[in-house]
Each structure stands twice: as structure tokens, then as C-alpha cells.
Amino acid sequence: MRQFWTLLLLVIIVLAAIGRPALAQEATPQPTPTPLTLFTAYPAQEAALGENVTINLTLRGGRAAQVVRFELDGLPESWTATFRGGGRVIQAAYVQPDQDSQIELRLEPPANPTAGSFGFTVVARGEGETAELPIELTIQEKLPPSLSFEVELPTLRGAPDTTFRYNVTLQNEGDADLTVNLLAETPPGFTVAFKLNNQDVTSIPIAANESKRLSVEAQAFPDLAAGEYAINVLAQGGEVEAATTLAAVVTGQPELSITTPDGRLSAQAYVGDVNTIAVVVENTGSAPAMNVALSGSQPSGWTVEFEPPVIAELPIGEQVEVTANVQPADQAIAGDYMITLRAQPEEGRTESAEFRITVRTSTLWGVVGIALIAIAVAVVGMAVSRFGRR
């Protein structure tokens, strides 16, 4: 009897274990199939008069794999419509559940279209499922060709060696694509280059209603006089053109030179002495040189100092004479050495010149050497005369 009840308990446990997964499986909710769907990113569009229109459609599969056919409802009879997929004209598409197919709807206007708005519906009919997509299309009069310039900063200031860089936006305001030639009328002393994406260009294609950012770079000659200069920029595309005027304000710049009164860049120096060199600093530029700092680069152990160390102002076309105090190193031996003298204005380029310094031994040391030799000769003579008699 005990064996019977034990066997019955085992059967109940096995049946419960088998039934529990079945119940859990029945309790799991099943996903609801997605219905057939047709959509586009731009259901309302505008087009120019006489322009072909392409509308990109996405067809998403529904509850089952099926063949879906396309229709148009409400399209004016004067328009021609074709559906395209995979590069071919199609009338239907085969779709899997929840998978997308890309379809193109191409619309061609009649020979004599009229401006206005109209709506139609794209219908996708599957096997027991239908998806509809309303489309609104507005036809506008085609805008005539037109170009315009927009300049961020039309007037720039800089020294003669400055690159005047203007940021310009060229806008095609018409409904036709254009190839635009870029021209510049410059005053003497300037060169102009057009750049697009850091590349030199002389002409660019620009689509209808498109804008492109250009860089107009004007380079002045180094000796250009100070003043304001006008640069006329012209964009020509077919029979249309756009023009704008840029201004380059060239400010004066000092231009220094360093030499000596006789023009020779060489001098002599003696070890142990402070040797003076007369230096002439001249301003040949187009602006006064202010606070010109004088300095030098010299061999190790040497010193170079100027009197005065700073020229407060050096007018245009004038020169000033200063003194460079050069002292060679105590260990310097006779020979040629190079030092560099510099003049650095508050605004402008630093000018430098190299001087050859010939180091000679001091005359005093020569006299001392001769005296020592004379003393040595005298001592030897006295020694010879004294010991020679013995």
C-alpha cells in the first residue's frame, strides 16, 4: 500500500513539472504584427514651374510576406507618374514583415504647367492590407537667374605685408544652376586670389538656391604706400552677375637698416678694453619707428651694450647714430669674430646686421713683452761678462 502512494506522488510531481512551462508559455504575450505602412520624410513639397519632382517613399512590410501594388489617387491627368525601385520602373514590390523597401515616385509635369497647389494620395495595396499616404505639391513660378554677395567685414586694416582675407558668401537666388567666374579689379600694388575650401579657384559651380562661402585674399606689395585701397570683386554666371567692393586700409610700417657711417660692417677690438663702434640706424619705411630697442648677440664671454639702449622715436626717412660698446672675453685670442646687432621697433619687423670684429692683442702687453725681453737680455749679458772673466 505504501508503494502505491509513493508511485502516485511521483506521477503527480512529474505532471506538475511538465505543465508548468506550458502554462508559462501560454502566459507570455505575443507581439502584435505591424500593419502595412507607407511614409515619406517630406509629404509636402515645393517645386519650380516645369521641374521634375522625385519623392522618396518607404514601404514597411505588414503582417505577412506579400506583394504590394502601387496606385495614385487624385493626381492630375496631365502629369506623368512612375514608380521606381532598384533602378527600374516598377508596379509592385515584395516585402517581408517589418522590413523596409525604398521606392521612388517620379512626377513629370505637362508641357505647359501652371503654378498652384494640388494634393494626391499614394496607395499601396497588399494581400488584405492597404496603406495610404497623402502628398501635397506646390508649383511655383521659376525664379530668374540672380546672384548676390554678402561680406562679413568689407573693410580690413593691416601693414603692407599683411594678407587681407575677406569672408564672402555668394548666393544663387535663381532656380537654375550656374557656373560662376570670379574676377577682381585691383589697384596697382595688389594681387588677389579666390579660395574655396582652401583651394585656389577662378570659377565655381553653384546650384539653384545654393550659397557658397569664399575667401578673397588680397596681398599688398611690401613697398606699398599707406592709404585706403578699393578692390572690386565680380561674379559672372551666364547673363547675370554680382559685384561688391572691398576696402584694404594699409597702415604705415617702419623699415629699419643698420650700418656704420662709412658703410663697413667691421671693426677692431682689443682684449681687456671696451671698444666703441659707431652704428647708424635708419628708418626707410612708411611710418615712424617707436621705441626701437637695440641689442646684440655675441660670442660667449663678450659683452655688447648700446648708448642709448632705446631710440624713443625714429621718423620716416631719418637716421640716428648710436654707440655700441664691445668688450671681448678676457680669454679671447687674436682673430676674427662675428657679432650680430639688432634694432627692434615697437611695431614692425626686427632688423639685424652682422659685424666682423678683429681681435688684436693690447699694445700695453706688447710693451711689457719687449721690456721683459730687454730685461732678460740684460741679465744674460751681465751673467756672461761676470762669469766670463773667471
Side-chain angles (χ1 to χ4, degrees):
M1 187 67 178
R2 180 178 299 174
Q3 293 178 353
F4 171 77
W5 289 110
T6 302
L7 181 60
L8 179 61
L9 180 61
L10 289 174
V11 171
I12 293 173
I13 293 173
V14 171
L15 291 176
I18 296 174
R20 189 175 295 116
L23 292 174
Q25 184 176 2
E26 291 177 0
T28 302
Q30 298 296 322
T32 303
T34 303
L36 186 68
T37 307
L38 182 66
F39 60 92
T40 182
Y42 310 103
Q45 298 189 19
E46 294 184 357
L49 201 65
E51 178 186 0
N52 293 338
V53 179
T54 298
I55 301 175
N56 296 313
L57 306 173
T58 299
L59 178 65
R60 181 164 297 167
R63 299 182 178 89
Q66 57 188 312
V67 175
V68 179
R69 297 190 173 275
F70 302 104
E71 302 174 4
L72 291 177
D73 184 14
L75 183 70
E77 295 182 357
S78 57
W79 285 71
T80 302
T82 55
F83 291 95
R84 292 179 177 268
R88 296 179 177 273
V89 177
I90 61 173
Q91 286 78 38
Y94 179 80
V95 290
Q96 297 282 355
D98 294 328
Q99 292 188 2
D100 293 348
S101 294
Q102 304 301 321
I103 312 297
E104 283 187 358
L105 172 60
R106 295 191 182 180
L107 303 175
E108 299 180 9
N112 297 309
T114 58
S117 299
F118 61 87
F120 60 94
T121 302
V122 183
V123 182
R125 297 189 185 277
E127 299 173 5
E129 292 184 277
T130 301
E132 296 184 352
L133 174 63
I135 298 291
E136 181 181 344
L137 189 60
T138 300
I139 306 301
Q140 295 182 339
E141 293 284 351
K142 193 170 185 178
L143 296 176
S146 178
L147 291 171
S148 66
F149 269 126
E150 182 179 344
V151 186
E152 291 184 3
L153 296 173
T155 301
L156 297 178
R157 297 173 61 89
D161 59 351
T162 301
T163 298
F164 297 86
R165 188 173 289 106
Y166 305 87
N167 294 320
V168 176
T169 300
L170 180 61
Q171 172 76 36
N172 181 2
E173 299 176 341
D175 288 329
D177 298 344
L178 295 173
T179 298
V180 179
N181 296 319
L182 302 171
L183 306 169
E185 181 183 12
T186 62
F190 274 91
T191 59
V192 172
F194 296 92
K195 291 184 179 293
L196 177 64
N197 299 326
N198 294 323
Q199 298 291 325
D200 288 341
V201 293
T202 56
S203 65
I204 57 172
I206 183 166
N209 301 301
E210 184 185 19
S211 61
K212 288 190 175 181
R213 288 178 59 85
L214 303 170
S215 177
V216 182
E217 299 185 0
Q219 181 67 57
F221 292 171
D223 57 351
L224 190 67
E228 182 171 338
Y229 297 86
I231 301 170
N232 298 317
V233 177
L234 182 66
Q236 292 179 332
E239 298 180 354
V240 297
E241 64 182 35
T244 188
T245 299
L246 309 175
V249 180
V250 178
T251 58
Q253 179 173 321
E255 195 75 28
L256 301 180
S257 65
I258 301 176
T259 185
T260 60
D262 59 6
R264 293 186 300 176
L265 301 182
S266 61
Q268 294 184 358
Y270 292 91
V271 176
D273 292 343
V274 176
N275 306 270
T276 61
I277 301 174
V279 177
V280 175
V281 182
E282 184 177 5
N283 181 10
T284 59
S286 56
M290 308 299 295
N291 298 321
V292 182
L294 304 173
S295 62
S297 297
Q298 60 277 341
S300 177
W302 290 49
T303 59
V304 176
E305 297 178 349
F306 284 89
E307 295 180 5
V310 177
I311 303 173
E313 180 179 1
L314 186 55
I316 302 171
E318 295 190 14
Q319 63 183 26
V320 64
E321 184 174 315
V322 298
T323 300
N325 297 319
V326 179
Q327 183 174 7
D330 293 337
Q331 297 79 17
I333 61 176
D336 291 339
Y337 296 81
M338 300 300 296
I339 64 173
T340 302
L341 305 184
R342 294 186 180 86
Q344 181 177 4
E346 190 173 54
E347 294 183 0
R349 291 194 302 265
T350 299
E351 180 62 27
S352 64
E354 289 189 344
F355 280 70
R356 187 180 75 251
I357 305 298
T358 301
V359 174
R360 299 186 182 278
T361 56
S362 175
T363 304
L364 175 62
W365 286 109
V367 172
V368 171
I370 293 173
L372 291 175
I373 293 172
I375 293 171
V377 171
V379 170
V380 171
M382 291 175 61
V384 169
S385 68
R386 179 177 180 181
F387 293 105
R389 287 194 298 268
R390 291 182 184 181

